[in-house]
């Protein structure tokens, strides 16, 4: 996966991934933005807390197995716990031809700190 991440930037494909803060994502969602939301954490982590409008939970290491379930005609908002796995998942998505990818900076922890303090942190 790290090789995948490095190749992404070497090949000039980083323009397909847009880092987005929790506050900016919340603002856009409140304004009607409807991305396909992918949580790339383990199911046991999702049981602790998640974004209410999540469309798909798939660990980042298994994303290739469900790639056909992900729409190519919508923006994608990808998150994990703190950002690392989400970034790797974004790279996998770029490798499969996806272009409108938003990587939630700080993951669900960033969301819990900046947007929804009621979410349980772990």
């Amino acid at each position: 996966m790290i090789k995948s991440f490095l190749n992404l930037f070497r090949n000039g494909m980083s323009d397909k991934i847009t880092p987005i803060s929790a506050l900016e994502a919340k603002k856009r969602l409140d304004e009607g933005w409807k991305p396909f939301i992918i949580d790339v954490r383990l199911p046991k982590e999702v049981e602790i807390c998640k974004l209410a409008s999540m469309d798909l939970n798939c660990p980042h290491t298994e994303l290739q197995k469900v790639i056909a379930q992900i729409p190519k005609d919508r923006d994608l908002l990808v998150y994990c716990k703190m950002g690392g796995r989400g970034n790797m998942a974004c790279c996998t998505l770029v490798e499969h031809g996806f272009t409108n990818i938003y990587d939630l900076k700080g993951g669900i922890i960033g969301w819990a700190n900046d947007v929804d303090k009621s979410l349980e942190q772990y």
Side-chain angles (χ1 to χ4, degrees):
M1 283 297 187
I2 296 212
K3 182 179 177 185
S4 173
F5 177 75
L6 292 174
N7 284 338
L8 173 77
F9 288 95
R10 283 191 197 122
N11 294 332
M13 295 188 300
S14 62
D15 62 326
K16 293 173 179 65
I17 301 173
T18 303
I20 189 167
S21 71
L23 289 173
E24 179 63 22
K26 171 70 168 136
K27 178 181 177 224
R28 291 188 65 181
L29 289 165
D30 288 347
E31 293 171 348
W33 185 42
K34 302 276 189 222
F36 187 84
I37 301 176
I38 306 170
D39 185 329
V40 296
R41 298 174 298 147
L42 297 171
K44 65 182 181 180
E45 293 176 279
V46 174
E47 291 175 16
I48 298 168
C49 63
K50 65 181 178 185
L51 295 184
S53 54
M54 175 189 67
D55 294 296
L56 176 67
N57 170 231
C58 179
H60 75 286
T61 56
E62 298 177 20
L63 199 56
Q64 292 181 351
K65 295 177 184 176
V66 299
I67 213 81
Q69 297 176 34
I70 302 169
K72 286 199 172 185
D73 62 346
R74 288 177 62 189
D75 289 346
L76 306 178
L77 177 61
V78 179
Y79 74 95
C80 62
K81 180 179 181 182
M82 295 174 40
R85 291 176 285 175
N87 195 278
M88 287 188 274
C90 288
C91 293
T92 299
L93 291 165
V94 168
E95 289 175 348
H96 284 85
F98 293 87
T99 56
N100 297 320
I101 305 165
Y102 292 82
D103 186 7
L104 184 63
K105 294 189 296 188
I108 194 74
I109 298 299
W111 187 273
N113 287 333
D114 297 340
V115 175
D116 186 354
K117 296 188 186 312
S118 72
L119 288 177
E120 184 176 343
Q121 294 192 38
Y122 61 101

